[in-house]
Amino acid sequence: MIVVMQTDASDQQITSIVERVTDLGLVAHLSAGEERTIIGLVGTTPLPPTLDEMLEAYDGVEQVIRVTKKYKLSGWDFHPEKTTIPVLDFVIGGAEVTIIAGPCSVESEEQTLETARGVRAAGARILRGGAYKPRTSPYDFRGLGEDGLKILATAREETGLAIITEVMTPSDIENIYDYTDIFQIGARNCQNYNLLEEVGKAGKPVMLKRGMSLLIEEWLQAAEYVLSQNNPNVIFCERGIRTFETQTRNTFDVAAVPVVQSLSHLPVFVDPSHAAGKRPFVGSLSLAGIAAGADGLMIEVHPNPDHALSDGNQSLDLEEFGELMPRMSAVAQAVGRSVHQPTVLSPA
Amino acid sequence: MIVVMQTDASDQQITSIVERVTDLGLVAHLSAGEERTIIGLVGTTPLPPTLDEMLEAYDGVEQVIRVTKKYKLSGWDFHPEKTTIPVLDFVIGGAEVTIIAGPCSVESEEQTLETARGVRAAGARILRGGAYKPRTSPYDFRGLGEDGLKILATAREETGLAIITEVMTPSDIENIYDYTDIFQIGARNCQNYNLLEEVGKAGKPVMLKRGMSLLIEEWLQAAEYVLSQNNPNVIFCERGIRTFETQTRNTFDVAAVPVVQSLSHLPVFVDPSHAAGKRPFVGSLSLAGIAAGADGLMIEVHPNPDHALSDGNQSLDLEEFGELMPRMSAVAQAVGRSVHQPTVLSPA
Amino acid sequence: MIVVMQTDASDQQITSIVERVTDLGLVAHLSAGEERTIIGLVGTTPLPPTLDEMLEAYDGVEQVIRVTKKYKLSGWDFHPEKTTIPVLDFVIGGAEVTIIAGPCSVESEEQTLETARGVRAAGARILRGGAYKPRTSPYDFRGLGEDGLKILATAREETGLAIITEVMTPSDIENIYDYTDIFQIGARNCQNYNLLEEVGKAGKPVMLKRGMSLLIEEWLQAAEYVLSQNNPNVIFCERGIRTFETQTRNTFDVAAVPVVQSLSHLPVFVDPSHAAGKRPFVGSLSLAGIAAGADGLMIEVHPNPDHALSDGNQSLDLEEFGELMPRMSAVAQAVGRSVHQPTVLSPA
Amino acid sequence: MIVVMQTDASDQQITSIVERVTDLGLVAHLSAGEERTIIGLVGTTPLPPTLDEMLEAYDGVEQVIRVTKKYKLSGWDFHPEKTTIPVLDFVIGGAEVTIIAGPCSVESEEQTLETARGVRAAGARILRGGAYKPRTSPYDFRGLGEDGLKILATAREETGLAIITEVMTPSDIENIYDYTDIFQIGARNCQNYNLLEEVGKAGKPVMLKRGMSLLIEEWLQAAEYVLSQNNPNVIFCERGIRTFETQTRNTFDVAAVPVVQSLSHLPVFVDPSHAAGKRPFVGSLSLAGIAAGADGLMIEVHPNPDHALSDGNQSLDLEEFGELMPRMSAVAQAVGRSVHQPTVLSPA
């Protein structure tokens, strides 16, 4: 249920509504827009049948609307302005198309720092790198764990890039917390609801990758698990869905970008690397994602893809990434967006 | 790598090989068949290049075979006899087709006991019932939690049925342990690798439902996460995959039964309820599963499906289940299997 | 629109309604059941808004029902009794599960006759064999054409088996007509509407294989193209749909059998050979199809599968087919059906 | 097999090779590049085992290469330069991204002319419009037939736009020939091989839409049916594939553009209208297609979409199309391409 306040409603009027519904066992989510405040009410217990009439009688209330959609907090009704998420010195979800780049796995300090320096110089804002890796087989390389997290911290300190890394299980959240700026939930865990709730509670932004065969409707509902923990900063990331076609690793559902944006105020990224699965197609899919309106991209970059411990086939090298950035910038401008241009540091 | 021992190899000879490979950081899985013992070696570190030659020089060794398949412990090479799993007073994976029945969710003691008595009388061996429910939306009924587990314990005590219930996150394993005979891993968690390893360590049998778009090859590899914790008792359960067709909730991939059985020694069940998603088709899919060779079925049964808190559309009522059992028995016999016929207790 | 006549309606009363609606540009399809006659009205022009009231005023009419479903002639409303199709000396759609067997392609008279004799001795009713083959590549073997048809005619004459063969384009219909008892429309042509209408006009029974990604709803509508040519004898054939899974050639949607039977009065066959794509799984899928209620099966059999010009991987040899037949018979009996047992001809 | 001629090979040398292989029952396809001529040899009969050695002995031959790929004529090996197709006064497959626009169905002269004038003014090169419509149900509007073709001819005469229209069956080819500049083969007929061969023989360019679940590999092989009739002018058109997702009518496989371009020299178009199925997403998918490198687009435009007889949901109106064109032009320029800018006729 949504309570739309009058444009001149006072803080006191808002507070008294929040207190009333909290007494009823509901959780109130406030969305303070430029014009007016909207109060979203969510609860797992059934709402009293006359709750809307009761709330409409409160001072400062303009309208009360019953919502039957399953995705409440992620939908436009509850939050009529597009969500922007500040991270370090930049903002996700604004005019800038945010570029995340880095290796699939953190393999060594040297590999990670070389990548971080390279992608930062080209304009990336965030460094990706897995310390805990979900692998289809338990006999494959599964990441450096805490050692990997420390390497990411070093890279952040040296380059100023923000960090995103994957968390696979609730008991790792605390450990990862200090090392990351954004928690990544991988495709395989997109409906691991306990993990979603726990990472929601941690409070930092959460990137929710789409599962291999997740309906968009289910994706929005998975986000509710995070949002309902009073964590408003969810980022969606389309990474290809599983279909019959085998020429690409997954089928890049580029339409998911405008579809999700039509249903939700949350930012939508794309991961052309996992979608393509093959280096030669990563560039085209990156440009397609930006043209379709993506708020950001996550691209796998490795200094030496042929020797990567995971996902080498789909990783660009630093030179390829450096050449792709101005092409992405051109397409971003063609659709009224921009890509960050780093300040070139001149030698003293 | 597989070490095939001679038929007359002594325990001492086997032990010395196990000790040697353990020193090398490998884990040895023993499979003691009727004729000979096979030692499977698994490790995440690369094997020494001449390990096979070294092991062939040991006394009692007949042959050493390198295995490159990703599914080692689940494959026939490591374990040439079909796995049978004893549970209470019956066996899974033998000539009998094991029937699991019960409600989607444990809703109340009355509902659960009525179902347990009814399905036991019809020939079911195991009672299913969810206490912790993964729900697409956080605003739906998510199970009774520990209260639900206690109701299951009561049902087990009264009826003698074994219990299967779902575990969704590692921290719940300890809590559920005493109440269940088999841990169920749901489709959404089929690649939640931390959960798979932790539940593997718990030691009780694990049913691994197939994910919505999981390749059979990935399914076998997911089982390796459990098996590699020295827990040999994994049961697969096909429950329909996600396709374009909308007349059924999922597409029942009945071919998965013979395909998995051709690749693995582990038992394969089917869940016609989640596959069909609609009551009128559950019976046909049950019979098809048995005809295709399934080692067991998991069927949703509720005393009053129209009032079920979850999955009512696909639940049989007790009368429908009672009528289906003799039809399943007839098809089982036609393919050389059987279904349990309960002893009718005559009044004193 | 459906006109349900009274049980004692006279032929004269029926005729006057047919004449009236024909004047209005509609086509009337009569379904004379045991109790009463039903007249289905179909037209591409919009119906007059008060047509139902007008027809209800006619003598002998009990009820007029507007139908909005897209599948009219194939649905139960128009035709409340299950369709049975007499072919030579047997009937499709009755208690017997009809077995079609034979090679993918007619390769030679010797190969075809050897197969025909073998499958007839085992209990098959119909010989399949392609003379015009749709091949993914134009550079593959595309069938013997008219020479192949003549070989099929010889086989029919010698063995008494009925013939089914594929027609790929309207201009071949006349040529094939005399050689076949059932026209087969392949999966690739399932929405080749011109072909469906032309083959419908030919008047012989038509088997409509399901397209690789055809919705069941679209399949029923494709059948309408044949049925609306006043050809009531359509047989559906499920042959697997295209999904992400690669262990089988296609995913056998066994649930399509009960789903189509719930929507339509027409017989439903299955083709386990194209579904499995691999010989070892054909048997299990055959049994699953019968258990699910299939009215018939189409199985690829070749005297020497390893040398077949097409689909050798999925063809049984005559011995394998001979061993499968009694297993199919046992499952058929378990579900209240039967499989034809040929009379063994004793030597004179 | 491919015969690569020396750069200075004479016409006489080329001719003598063509004559020799023709005698052997092969068909020779000449590709005269800027530097050298390549002769592709295709035949359905097996090639003589020593053919390559024999041909290497001919004067003017530099190299003979055996090709095992199933897509020969469509692949880069046979034809190392990108195919360009001249149509009226413009060229398909060059630097310009060709825009096709128009209604799903030709409904009336007024509707068609209004659309033609509007899309021409905005920069479209080709008018689309169906006279023969494949409809899922036989009871839906199936096009105006020859009357529709005449309306298209009027539109071509008045506006100078080229025409593309769908052919559904071989017997319609002759009839349509004079009215169209490009034959369109619809998704449902993409593996209707008799139609592909017959339309190939007609000689005009052919647009081959991708089937709902056609593998890219099968798509290239379908093109071989046209190309092997000595018709080199095939245009691919990606229009979305069928997946589990329901928010869009089909899943737009934008990666098909770079994938096909990596395998084939033929132009690749996209149809964002059928992919999206909903008007609000057509623009984003159009831009994504251009960014991914599409050689052209086919967009459904109708003067009054809400009253269209077919596909109204996915048709832009003239104003929306007019607004989309400059956005497409901007993205085309960002990736080094262009979109046609019509000369504005100033009033005298």
Side-chain angles (χ1 to χ4, degrees):
Chain A
M1 190 169 287
I2 296 170
V3 182
V4 183
M5 302 304 292
Q6 292 168 357
T7 50
D8 57 354
S10 67
D11 286 359
Q12 173 59 33
Q13 288 170 336
I14 293 168
T15 304
S16 52
I17 288 171
V18 171
E19 286 174 358
R20 182 75 182 95
V21 298
T22 306
D23 283 352
L24 290 167
L26 300 170
V27 178
H29 295 263
L30 267 65
S31 171
E34 287 184 17
E35 284 190 27
R36 65 176 86 237
T37 292
I38 283 172
I39 310 175
L41 308 184
V42 172
T44 53
T45 51
L47 302 182
T50 58
L51 179 63
D52 43 359
E53 290 173 23
M54 187 188 80
L55 293 173
E56 276 183 344
Y58 271 68
D59 288 341
V61 171
E62 180 160 317
Q63 197 184 358
V64 178
I65 306 165
R66 286 195 170 262
V67 180
T68 54
K69 281 189 205 137
K70 294 277 186 177
Y71 29 100
K72 297 181 181 174
L73 303 175
S74 55
W76 286 106
D77 290 341
F78 260 46
H79 193 288
E81 290 176 33
K82 181 154 180 145
T83 286
T84 53
I85 303 175
V87 178
L88 302 186
D89 58 338
F90 60 95
V91 169
I92 289 173
E96 184 185 311
V97 177
T98 309
I99 307 299
I100 304 172
C104 177
S105 304
V106 175
E107 298 169 10
S108 71
E109 186 169 306
E110 188 188 352
Q111 165 245 20
T112 305
L113 287 182
E114 184 181 349
T115 310
R117 288 176 204 128
V119 302
R120 187 196 167 286
R125 289 287 202 180
I126 306 176
L127 178 69
R128 64 154 288 155
Y132 300 91
K133 297 296 305 171
R135 299 306 299 269
T136 305
S137 166
Y139 313 124
D140 287 337
F141 174 64
R142 291 160 73 180
L144 297 180
E146 190 154 4
D147 288 346
L149 296 174
K150 289 176 182 164
I151 293 171
L152 291 172
T154 305
R156 175 166 55 175
E157 198 171 359
E158 187 189 308
T159 61
L161 289 170
I163 300 294
I164 183 169
T165 198
E166 179 165 353
V167 57
M168 290 170 63
T169 200
S171 59
D172 285 343
I173 293 173
E174 191 179 344
N175 203 19
I176 295 174
Y177 187 86
D178 285 335
Y179 297 104
T180 200
D181 299 292
I182 305 173
F183 282 104
Q184 176 181 327
I185 302 291
R188 293 176 179 85
N189 280 312
C190 66
Q191 292 189 304
N192 180 345
Y193 298 132
N194 295 72
L195 178 60
L196 293 175
E197 289 194 332
E198 293 304 315
V199 84
K201 288 175 192 163
K204 288 198 175 178
V206 175
M207 171 174 281
L208 184 55
K209 298 195 95 175
R210 185 179 182 185
M212 291 203 185
S213 65
L214 203 66
L215 291 167
I216 287 173
E217 189 180 292
E218 294 170 337
W219 200 11
L220 294 175
Q221 291 182 73
E224 298 284 320
Y225 277 91
V226 180
L227 297 166
S228 61
Q229 301 305 318
N230 267 313
N231 183 335
N233 293 325
V234 172
I235 303 158
F236 291 109
C237 184
E238 159 68 29
R239 41 77 74 205
I241 56 174
R242 184 159 269 179
T243 72
F244 59 85
E245 180 57 63
T246 57
Q247 293 280 345
T248 44
R249 182 172 176 185
N250 295 287
T251 293
F252 184 42
D253 183 10
V254 73
V257 175
V259 169
V260 173
Q261 287 173 340
S262 75
L263 298 170
S264 173
H265 52 84
L266 296 165
V268 184
F269 278 46
V270 298
D271 172 347
S273 305
H274 279 84
K278 294 178 182 171
R279 210 174 309 161
F281 306 133
V282 171
S284 300
L285 300 195
S286 300
L287 303 179
I290 294 174
D295 295 299
L297 281 85
M298 179 182 251
I299 301 177
E300 288 193 345
V301 178
H302 191 282
N304 193 347
D306 293 339
H307 291 81
L309 293 182
S310 54
D311 283 353
N313 283 344
Q314 68 196 38
S315 296
L316 302 184
D317 64 25
L318 287 163
E319 191 182 335
E320 291 166 329
F321 180 70
E323 287 167 0
L324 179 58
M325 283 295 282
R327 296 167 61 207
M328 296 201 291
S329 182
V331 173
Q333 284 173 39
V335 296
R337 305 287 285 266
S338 64
V339 168
H340 174 58
Q341 306 284 352
T343 316
V344 178
L345 300 176
S346 55
Chain B
M1 191 169 287
I2 295 170
V3 183
V4 182
M5 302 303 292
Q6 292 167 357
T7 50
D8 58 355
S10 67
D11 285 358
Q12 173 58 34
Q13 289 170 337
I14 292 168
T15 304
S16 53
I17 289 172
V18 171
E19 286 173 358
R20 183 74 183 95
V21 298
T22 306
D23 283 353
L24 290 167
L26 299 171
V27 178
H29 294 263
L30 266 67
S31 170
E34 287 184 16
E35 284 191 26
R36 64 176 85 239
T37 291
I38 283 173
I39 310 175
L41 309 183
V42 172
T44 53
T45 51
L47 302 181
T50 59
L51 178 63
D52 44 357
E53 291 172 23
M54 187 190 80
L55 291 174
E56 276 182 344
Y58 271 68
D59 288 341
V61 170
E62 181 161 314
Q63 197 184 358
V64 177
I65 305 164
R66 285 197 172 261
V67 180
T68 53
K69 282 191 204 134
K70 294 276 185 176
Y71 29 98
K72 298 181 181 175
L73 302 175
S74 54
W76 286 106
D77 290 342
F78 259 47
H79 194 290
E81 291 175 34
K82 180 153 180 144
T83 286
T84 52
I85 304 175
V87 179
L88 301 188
D89 58 338
F90 60 94
V91 168
I92 288 173
E96 184 185 311
V97 178
T98 308
I99 306 300
I100 305 172
C104 177
S105 304
V106 174
E107 298 169 10
S108 70
E109 187 170 305
E110 187 188 351
Q111 166 245 21
T112 304
L113 287 182
E114 184 181 348
T115 310
R117 288 177 205 128
V119 301
R120 187 195 167 285
R125 289 288 202 179
I126 306 175
L127 178 70
R128 64 154 289 156
Y132 299 91
K133 298 297 305 172
R135 299 306 299 269
T136 305
S137 166
Y139 313 124
D140 288 336
F141 174 65
R142 290 160 75 180
L144 296 180
E146 192 154 3
D147 288 344
L149 296 174
K150 288 176 183 165
I151 293 172
L152 290 172
T154 305
R156 175 166 55 175
E157 199 172 357
E158 186 191 308
T159 60
L161 290 170
I163 300 293
I164 182 169
T165 199
E166 179 166 354
V167 58
M168 290 171 61
T169 200
S171 59
D172 285 342
I173 294 173
E174 192 180 342
N175 203 19
I176 295 175
Y177 186 86
D178 286 333
Y179 297 103
T180 201
D181 299 291
I182 305 173
F183 281 105
Q184 176 181 327
I185 302 291
R188 293 176 179 85
N189 279 312
C190 66
Q191 292 188 304
N192 179 345
Y193 297 134
N194 295 72
L195 177 60
L196 292 175
E197 290 194 331
E198 293 305 316
V199 84
K201 287 176 192 163
K204 288 198 175 178
V206 176
M207 172 175 280
L208 185 54
K209 298 196 96 175
R210 185 178 182 186
M212 291 203 185
S213 66
L214 202 67
L215 291 167
I216 286 173
E217 190 181 291
E218 294 169 338
W219 200 12
L220 294 174
Q221 292 182 73
E224 298 283 320
Y225 277 90
V226 180
L227 297 166
S228 62
Q229 301 306 318
N230 267 314
N231 184 335
N233 293 325
V234 172
I235 303 157
F236 291 110
C237 184
E238 158 68 29
R239 41 77 74 206
I241 56 174
R242 184 160 270 180
T243 73
F244 59 85
E245 181 56 62
T246 56
Q247 293 280 345
T248 44
R249 182 172 176 185
N250 294 287
T251 294
F252 184 42
D253 184 9
V254 72
V257 174
V259 169
V260 173
Q261 287 173 339
S262 74
L263 298 170
S264 172
H265 51 84
L266 296 166
V268 184
F269 278 45
V270 298
D271 173 348
S273 306
H274 280 84
K278 294 178 183 171
R279 211 175 306 160
F281 306 134
V282 171
S284 300
L285 300 195
S286 299
L287 302 179
I290 294 175
D295 295 300
L297 281 85
M298 179 183 251
I299 301 178
E300 287 193 345
V301 178
H302 192 284
N304 193 347
D306 293 339
H307 291 82
L309 292 182
S310 54
D311 282 355
N313 283 344
Q314 68 196 36
S315 297
L316 302 184
D317 64 25
L318 286 164
E319 191 182 336
E320 290 166 329
F321 180 68
E323 287 166 1
L324 179 58
M325 283 294 283
R327 296 167 61 205
M328 295 202 290
S329 182
V331 173
Q333 284 174 38
V335 296
R337 305 286 286 266
S338 65
V339 168
H340 175 58
Q341 307 284 352
T343 316
V344 178
L345 299 176
S346 55
Chain C
M1 192 169 286
I2 296 170
V3 183
V4 182
M5 301 302 293
Q6 292 167 357
T7 50
D8 58 354
S10 68
D11 285 359
Q12 174 57 35
Q13 288 170 336
I14 292 168
T15 305
S16 53
I17 288 172
V18 171
E19 286 174 359
R20 182 72 182 95
V21 298
T22 307
D23 284 353
L24 290 168
L26 300 171
V27 178
H29 295 264
L30 267 67
S31 171
E34 287 185 17
E35 284 189 27
R36 64 177 86 238
T37 292
I38 283 173
I39 311 175
L41 309 183
V42 173
T44 54
T45 51
L47 302 182
T50 59
L51 179 62
D52 42 358
E53 291 172 23
M54 187 188 81
L55 291 173
E56 276 183 344
Y58 272 67
D59 288 339
V61 170
E62 180 160 315
Q63 197 183 358
V64 178
I65 305 165
R66 286 196 170 261
V67 180
T68 53
K69 283 193 204 130
K70 293 277 184 176
Y71 30 98
K72 298 180 180 175
L73 302 175
S74 54
W76 286 106
D77 289 341
F78 260 46
H79 193 289
E81 290 176 32
K82 182 155 180 143
T83 286
T84 54
I85 304 175
V87 178
L88 301 186
D89 58 339
F90 60 95
V91 168
I92 288 172
E96 184 185 311
V97 178
T98 309
I99 307 299
I100 305 173
C104 177
S105 304
V106 175
E107 298 169 10
S108 71
E109 186 169 306
E110 189 188 352
Q111 165 245 20
T112 305
L113 287 181
E114 184 181 348
T115 309
R117 287 177 205 126
V119 302
R120 186 195 168 285
R125 290 287 201 180
I126 305 176
L127 179 69
R128 63 153 290 156
Y132 300 91
K133 297 296 305 171
R135 298 306 299 270
T136 305
S137 168
Y139 312 123
D140 288 335
F141 174 65
R142 289 161 72 181
L144 296 179
E146 191 154 4
D147 289 346
L149 295 174
K150 288 176 183 165
I151 293 171
L152 290 173
T154 305
R156 175 166 54 175
E157 199 170 359
E158 187 190 308
T159 60
L161 290 170
I163 300 293
I164 182 169
T165 198
E166 179 165 352
V167 57
M168 288 171 61
T169 199
S171 59
D172 285 343
I173 293 173
E174 192 179 345
N175 203 19
I176 295 174
Y177 186 86
D178 285 335
Y179 297 104
T180 201
D181 299 292
I182 305 173
F183 282 104
Q184 177 181 327
I185 302 291
R188 292 175 181 84
N189 280 313
C190 66
Q191 292 189 303
N192 179 345
Y193 297 133
N194 296 71
L195 178 59
L196 292 176
E197 290 195 331
E198 294 305 316
V199 83
K201 287 176 192 162
K204 288 199 176 178
V206 176
M207 172 175 279
L208 184 55
K209 297 195 96 176
R210 184 179 182 185
M212 292 202 185
S213 66
L214 202 66
L215 291 168
I216 286 174
E217 189 180 292
E218 293 170 339
W219 200 10
L220 294 174
Q221 291 181 73
E224 298 282 319
Y225 277 91
V226 179
L227 296 166
S228 62
Q229 301 305 317
N230 266 313
N231 183 336
N233 293 325
V234 172
I235 302 158
F236 292 108
C237 184
E238 158 67 29
R239 41 77 74 205
I241 57 174
R242 184 159 270 179
T243 73
F244 59 85
E245 181 55 64
T246 57
Q247 293 280 347
T248 45
R249 184 173 176 185
N250 294 288
T251 294
F252 183 43
D253 183 10
V254 72
V257 175
V259 170
V260 173
Q261 288 172 340
S262 74
L263 298 170
S264 172
H265 52 84
L266 296 166
V268 183
F269 278 46
V270 297
D271 173 347
S273 306
H274 279 83
K278 295 177 181 171
R279 211 175 308 161
F281 306 133
V282 171
S284 300
L285 300 195
S286 299
L287 302 180
I290 294 174
D295 296 300
L297 280 85
M298 177 181 253
I299 301 177
E300 288 193 345
V301 179
H302 191 284
N304 193 347
D306 292 339
H307 291 82
L309 292 182
S310 54
D311 283 353
N313 283 345
Q314 68 196 38
S315 297
L316 302 184
D317 64 24
L318 287 163
E319 192 182 335
E320 290 166 327
F321 180 70
E323 287 167 359
L324 179 59
M325 283 295 281
R327 294 167 62 205
M328 296 201 291
S329 182
V331 174
Q333 284 174 38
V335 296
R337 307 286 286 264
S338 65
V339 168
H340 175 57
Q341 306 284 352
T343 315
V344 178
L345 299 175
S346 54
Chain D
M1 192 169 286
I2 296 170
V3 183
V4 182
M5 302 303 293
Q6 292 167 356
T7 51
D8 58 354
S10 68
D11 286 358
Q12 174 57 33
Q13 288 170 335
I14 293 168
T15 304
S16 53
I17 288 172
V18 171
E19 287 174 358
R20 183 73 182 93
V21 299
T22 306
D23 284 354
L24 289 167
L26 299 171
V27 178
H29 295 263
L30 267 66
S31 170
E34 287 185 17
E35 284 191 26
R36 64 176 87 237
T37 292
I38 283 173
I39 311 175
L41 308 183
V42 173
T44 53
T45 51
L47 302 182
T50 59
L51 179 62
D52 44 358
E53 291 173 23
M54 188 188 80
L55 292 174
E56 275 183 345
Y58 271 68
D59 288 341
V61 170
E62 180 161 314
Q63 197 185 359
V64 178
I65 305 165
R66 286 196 171 263
V67 180
T68 54
K69 282 192 204 132
K70 294 277 184 175
Y71 31 97
K72 298 180 181 175
L73 302 175
S74 54
W76 286 107
D77 290 341
F78 260 46
H79 194 288
E81 290 176 32
K82 180 153 182 144
T83 286
T84 52
I85 304 174
V87 178
L88 302 187
D89 58 339
F90 61 95
V91 168
I92 288 172
E96 184 185 312
V97 178
T98 309
I99 308 298
I100 305 172
C104 176
S105 305
V106 175
E107 298 169 10
S108 71
E109 187 169 305
E110 188 188 353
Q111 166 246 19
T112 305
L113 286 182
E114 184 181 349
T115 310
R117 288 177 205 128
V119 301
R120 187 196 167 285
R125 289 290 200 179
I126 306 175
L127 178 70
R128 63 155 289 157
Y132 300 91
K133 297 297 304 172
R135 298 306 299 268
T136 305
S137 167
Y139 313 124
D140 287 336
F141 174 65
R142 290 160 72 182
L144 295 180
E146 191 153 4
D147 289 345
L149 296 173
K150 288 176 183 164
I151 292 171
L152 290 172
T154 306
R156 173 164 58 176
E157 200 170 358
E158 186 190 309
T159 60
L161 290 170
I163 299 294
I164 183 168
T165 199
E166 179 165 353
V167 57
M168 289 171 61
T169 199
S171 59
D172 284 342
I173 293 173
E174 192 179 344
N175 201 20
I176 295 174
Y177 186 86
D178 285 335
Y179 296 103
T180 200
D181 299 291
I182 305 173
F183 281 105
Q184 177 182 327
I185 302 290
R188 293 175 180 85
N189 280 311
C190 65
Q191 291 189 303
N192 179 345
Y193 297 133
N194 295 72
L195 177 60
L196 292 175
E197 289 195 332
E198 293 305 315
V199 83
K201 287 176 192 162
K204 288 199 176 177
V206 176
M207 171 174 282
L208 183 55
K209 297 195 96 175
R210 185 178 183 186
M212 292 204 186
S213 65
L214 203 66
L215 291 167
I216 287 174
E217 190 180 292
E218 293 170 339
W219 200 11
L220 294 174
Q221 291 181 73
E224 297 283 320
Y225 277 91
V226 179
L227 297 165
S228 62
Q229 302 304 319
N230 267 314
N231 183 334
N233 293 325
V234 172
I235 303 158
F236 291 108
C237 184
E238 158 67 28
R239 41 77 75 206
I241 57 175
R242 184 160 270 179
T243 73
F244 60 86
E245 181 55 63
T246 57
Q247 293 281 346
T248 45
R249 183 173 176 184
N250 295 287
T251 293
F252 184 43
D253 184 10
V254 71
V257 174
V259 170
V260 173
Q261 287 173 340
S262 74
L263 298 170
S264 173
H265 51 86
L266 296 165
V268 184
F269 278 46
V270 297
D271 173 346
S273 306
H274 279 83
K278 295 179 182 170
R279 212 175 307 161
F281 306 133
V282 171
S284 300
L285 300 194
S286 299
L287 302 179
I290 294 174
D295 295 299
L297 280 84
M298 178 181 253
I299 300 177
E300 288 192 345
V301 179
H302 191 284
N304 193 347
D306 292 338
H307 291 81
L309 293 182
S310 54
D311 282 354
N313 283 344
Q314 69 195 37
S315 296
L316 302 184
D317 65 25
L318 287 163
E319 191 182 336
E320 290 166 327
F321 180 70
E323 287 167 0
L324 179 58
M325 284 294 283
R327 295 167 61 205
M328 295 200 292
S329 182
V331 173
Q333 284 174 38
V335 296
R337 308 285 286 266
S338 65
V339 167
H340 175 58
Q341 306 284 352
T343 315
V344 178
L345 299 176
S346 55

